[in-house]
Amino acid sequence: MAGGISIHCVDVANGQLAVGLRVELRRLSPQGEPLLPLLAEGRIADNGLLQHPVLMSEAIIAGGYEVMFDVGGYYRARGDVVPAPAFLERVPYRFHIADTAQHYHLPFKFTAWGFSLFRGGA
């Protein structure tokens, strides 16, 4: 798969895909601040991926992006007990795309207390 972004989320605390986790994608301004409107938003599907047509479209251009993961909301929706506010409410991940011919796979592995984000293989 060439070009585009894939966002894959795993709840490692429960050993499962993070089905239902809310995710948002925004572009960043030249100063590095998130811009509106959102490029994509949705919930992680049964396959662990955010399925949105923008992610694999010509809308993904060179520049900065921010993915926002609603970790606190995810655990509350599961019925898990988390503090108010949760230790991790919303987790931002800022990254840059230099070569739009490359695919950017973004695995997000998390618990209510920590996370790992990186560019994975596609």
Side-chain angles (χ1 to χ4, degrees):
M1 176 178 353
I5 299 170
S6 57
I7 299 170
H8 185 241
C9 301
V10 178
D11 172 359
V12 295
N14 292 294
Q16 62 189 32
L17 298 172
V19 176
L21 174 69
R22 182 166 168 66
V23 179
E24 300 171 352
L25 176 69
R26 291 180 173 83
R27 278 205 183 89
L28 296 176
S29 73
Q31 295 76 31
E33 295 302 318
L35 297 171
L36 289 175
L38 293 172
L39 281 180
E41 65 179 316
R43 296 190 181 275
I44 297 301
D46 291 344
N47 64 357
L49 295 169
L50 177 63
Q51 297 176 329
H52 195 286
V54 164
L55 298 177
M56 295 303 299
S57 76
E58 293 178 3
I60 303 302
I61 60 175
Y65 294 85
E66 178 184 83
V67 179
M68 185 70 71
F69 301 95
D70 184 13
V71 173
Y74 168 79
Y75 282 113
R76 279 190 289 281
R78 281 181 37 86
D80 293 2
V81 176
V82 292
F87 180 71
L88 296 175
E89 276 296 339
R90 292 170 48 86
V91 175
Y93 180 48
R94 293 183 179 177
F95 64 98
H96 292 82
I97 292 177
D99 181 358
T100 58
Q102 292 186 30
H103 182 75
Y104 289 76
H105 181 63
L106 308 176
F108 178 54
K109 298 177 181 185
F110 68 99
T111 74
W113 305 102
F115 61 89
S116 173
L117 284 161
F118 54 95
R119 181 179 176 193

